[in-house]
């Protein structure tokens, strides 16, 4: 899921990556909407706000919104930079953006739980940190999947899915496996995103800012799941290799005994 890169990825890799990271993105976006009345998993609305504030001449707000956009941009930049500059381990390079995202979200949860006074400045900074986290996640998923997986961009996903459904009105497109796989991936991401949002809303109403720790734990699960899966597969390969070596030794021993008898 995290280890494979670009063309070496399978549909299963992208389904796992898309569903799990979309779930966490939905959790973050709904939580930020409930607490801060702002979307943080995408920046489409922030571009509109930027244009509005420029038109009004509210230059302090223009700077703040531009700062939000930059943080999302910077998060995506950092994620891709780590991916393309990995020289030793793809897994470590691909997991690092998620580690940084965990730090960002845990920081928001900790501050909100113990220090948040609901001032405008605090809210704007916390929104910025969440945008940085979502930039990291979106940059990672898009980079390692060759832009096949974008778990925070529901506008583009809905458009692509609508186009595919339209294409499936013709038999020749319904029989195209590549198009069916893409529709399956997009549908999975959409359902996961909504599911994550619902779960986050329920957790927030029960636990408040601790919901950010739950999202962080979920991201830890994503990292550890891929690591444990890799270790398990490596162990299986080692056992199979030892089994093959053992069978070869047994055959050689039998051949040697047969020669002695002769």
């Amino acid at each position: 899921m995290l280890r494979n890169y670009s063309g070496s990825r399978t549909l299963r890799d992208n389904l796992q990556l898309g569903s799990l990271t979309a779930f966490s993105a939905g959790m973050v976006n709904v939580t930020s909407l409930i607490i801060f009345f702002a979307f943080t998993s995408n920046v489409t609305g922030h571009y509109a706000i930027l244009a509005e504030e420029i038109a009004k001449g509210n230059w302090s707000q223009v700077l703040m919104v531009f700062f939000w956009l930059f943080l999302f941009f910077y998060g995506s930049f950092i994620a891709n930079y780590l991916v393309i500059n990995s020289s030793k381990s793809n897994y470590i390079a691909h997991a690092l953006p998620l580690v940084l995202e965990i730090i960002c979200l845990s920081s928001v949860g900790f501050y909100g739980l113990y220090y948040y006074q609901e001032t405008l400045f605090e809210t704007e900074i916390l929104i910025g940190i969440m945008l940085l986290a979502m930039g990291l996640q979106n940059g990672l998923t898009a980079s390692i999947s060759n832009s096949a997986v974008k778990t925070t961009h529901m506008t583009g996903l809905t458009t692509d899915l609508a186009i595919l459904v339209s294409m499936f009105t013709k038999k020749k497109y319904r029989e195209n496996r590549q198009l069916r796989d893409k529709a399956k991936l997009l549908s999975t991401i959409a359902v996961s995103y909504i599911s994550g949002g619902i779960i986050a809303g329920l957790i927030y109403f029960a636990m408040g800012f601790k919901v950010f720790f739950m999202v962080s734990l979920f991201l830890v699960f994503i990292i550890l799941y891929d690591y444990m899966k890799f270790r398990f597969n490596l162990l299986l390969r080692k056992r199979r290799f030892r089994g093959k070596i053992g069978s070869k030794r047994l055959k050689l021993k039998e051949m040697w005994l047969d020669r002695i008898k002769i």
Side-chain angles (χ1 to χ4, degrees):
M1 178 174 61
L2 290 177
R3 184 172 301 276
N4 294 330
Y5 178 69
S6 190
S8 63
R9 297 183 64 82
T10 64
L11 175 63
R12 184 179 179 181
D13 290 330
N14 286 338
L15 283 172
Q16 290 178 339
L17 178 69
S19 60
L20 294 175
T21 54
F23 189 89
S24 64
M27 293 182 75
V28 172
N29 202 34
V30 169
T31 302
S32 67
L33 181 61
I34 295 173
I35 301 175
F36 305 123
F37 305 102
F39 295 108
T40 53
S41 71
N42 62 82
V43 292
T44 304
H46 297 306
Y47 275 102
I49 294 173
L50 179 65
E52 178 189 8
E53 297 300 339
I54 291 174
K56 290 180 178 179
N58 296 332
W59 301 113
S60 60
Q61 285 301 109
V62 168
L63 290 175
M64 181 54 67
V65 177
F66 184 81
F67 179 62
W68 287 347
L69 295 172
F70 173 76
L71 286 175
F72 191 92
F73 171 90
Y74 187 66
S76 297
F77 169 84
I78 289 296
N80 188 68
Y81 182 84
L82 291 172
V83 169
I84 64 176
N85 285 283
S86 60
S87 57
K88 294 184 178 180
S89 171
N90 281 346
Y91 172 77
I92 294 175
H94 297 175
L96 274 177
L98 291 182
V99 173
L100 295 175
E101 182 183 354
I102 290 169
I103 293 172
C104 290
L105 296 178
S106 297
S107 300
V108 173
F110 182 80
Y111 187 90
L113 199 61
Y114 296 106
Y115 301 105
Y116 186 50
Q117 299 297 317
E118 299 186 10
T119 65
L120 177 61
F121 181 73
E122 285 178 307
T123 301
E124 290 173 336
I125 295 300
L126 293 177
I127 290 173
I129 295 173
M130 294 172 72
L131 284 166
L132 174 64
M134 289 295 94
L136 285 163
Q137 179 174 303
N138 207 39
L140 171 68
T141 56
S143 296
I144 67 176
S145 68
N146 198 23
S147 296
V149 178
K150 293 181 180 178
T151 55
T152 67
H153 188 53
M154 292 298 107
T155 304
L157 182 146
T158 305
T159 303
D160 292 343
L161 194 56
I163 292 171
L164 285 171
V165 172
S166 176
M167 293 175 71
F168 289 154
T169 58
K170 290 185 175 292
K171 184 179 180 180
K172 65 176 181 178
Y173 294 125
R174 290 196 299 270
E175 294 176 348
N176 188 313
R177 183 176 179 180
Q178 187 176 2
L179 293 178
R180 294 201 308 270
D181 288 346
K182 184 177 181 181
K184 184 178 181 180
L185 175 61
L186 295 178
S187 301
T188 301
I189 291 173
V191 172
S192 298
Y193 188 92
I194 295 171
S195 301
I198 294 171
I199 296 298
L202 295 173
I203 294 175
Y204 174 75
F205 292 129
M207 302 174 63
F209 271 91
K210 291 180 182 178
V211 66
F212 288 102
F213 300 135
M214 301 302 293
V215 182
S216 297
L217 285 175
F218 186 75
L219 292 171
V220 170
F221 165 76
I222 294 175
I223 296 172
L224 293 181
Y225 169 80
D226 208 56
Y227 176 76
M228 295 305 295
K229 179 182 175 182
F230 170 74
R231 297 299 299 179
F232 179 73
N233 290 334
L234 183 63
L235 180 62
L236 285 180
R237 285 197 294 268
K238 285 183 177 179
R239 286 185 176 180
R240 289 171 185 169
F241 180 74
R242 288 173 182 172
K244 289 180 181 179
I245 295 297
S247 62
K248 287 181 179 179
R249 288 177 178 175
L250 182 60
K251 288 180 180 179
L252 290 173
K253 186 176 181 180
E254 290 176 349
M255 291 172 63
W256 182 73
L257 290 173
D258 288 340
R259 288 179 179 179
I260 292 176
K261 290 179 182 178
I262 294 171

